[in-house]
Amino acid sequence: MRLLITGKTRSGKSTALHLFLTHALRRRWRQVILLDGKGVELTPYRSQTVTSALNGLQASVHYYGPDQLDQWELALGDFANGLEKRFATLNKRGLRAAELDDPRILLVIDEVQVGCRDRQYGK
């Protein structure tokens, strides 16, 4: 699933994001990655834990703020590399899509333009 929230200032984007995260963080995730371009909207979630879909243990939320663009790069690279492995695993199982109980990763990026406009990491 992919979700993009856009709109004018004061149109309810942050409210929608918080409603989404409040619901989403109740689910079981293998990993949760939060990239916060302004260091504002996602900070309340940075110290939360979620139940891992793999073993039922608590998993930490990985939070990276606007001063950690090097970590954004690493996290997104790891995420992209993991997709190749995930698709290969699905193909071996004869599936075209993950089953409902398969482990999932939640990736949330707020204020993505902060990273995109950076001289070093924006490329």
Side-chain angles (χ1 to χ4, degrees):
M1 177 178 85
R2 291 155 194 87
L3 173 66
L4 175 66
I5 302 172
T6 64
K8 296 178 185 179
T9 301
R10 305 209 37 87
S11 64
K13 298 182 302 291
S14 295
T15 300
L17 176 63
H18 290 293
L19 287 171
F20 169 78
L21 278 172
T22 300
H23 177 73
L25 289 175
R26 293 182 189 151
R27 306 245 353 217
R28 297 184 333 166
W29 300 97
R30 181 176 62 173
Q31 186 178 13
V32 176
I33 303 166
L34 304 177
L35 307 179
D36 193 354
K38 285 188 178 176
V40 176
E41 293 301 335
L42 302 179
T43 56
Y45 307 98
R46 68 178 166 201
S47 61
Q48 289 196 13
T49 57
V50 294
T51 303
S52 171
L54 294 177
N55 53 21
L57 298 176
Q58 295 293 309
S60 295
V61 172
H62 302 279
Y63 171 90
Y64 305 107
D67 58 341
Q68 297 172 295
L69 293 181
D70 56 335
Q71 294 297 314
W72 284 42
E73 180 182 33
L74 294 173
L76 290 169
D78 288 346
F79 180 78
N81 291 334
L83 289 177
E84 291 178 30
K85 182 179 177 185
R86 179 182 164 110
F87 291 132
T89 301
L90 287 172
N91 285 333
K92 283 182 186 177
R93 291 169 51 198
L95 299 173
R96 295 186 57 152
E99 294 182 6
L100 289 177
D101 60 345
D102 282 345
R104 301 229 185 324
I105 297 173
L106 176 63
L107 170 65
V108 178
I109 306 172
D110 186 44
E111 301 293 346
V112 70
Q113 77 277 9
V114 172
C116 294
R117 293 177 182 160
D118 185 81
R119 286 184 186 201
Q120 180 178 353
Y121 296 105
K123 297 177 183 177

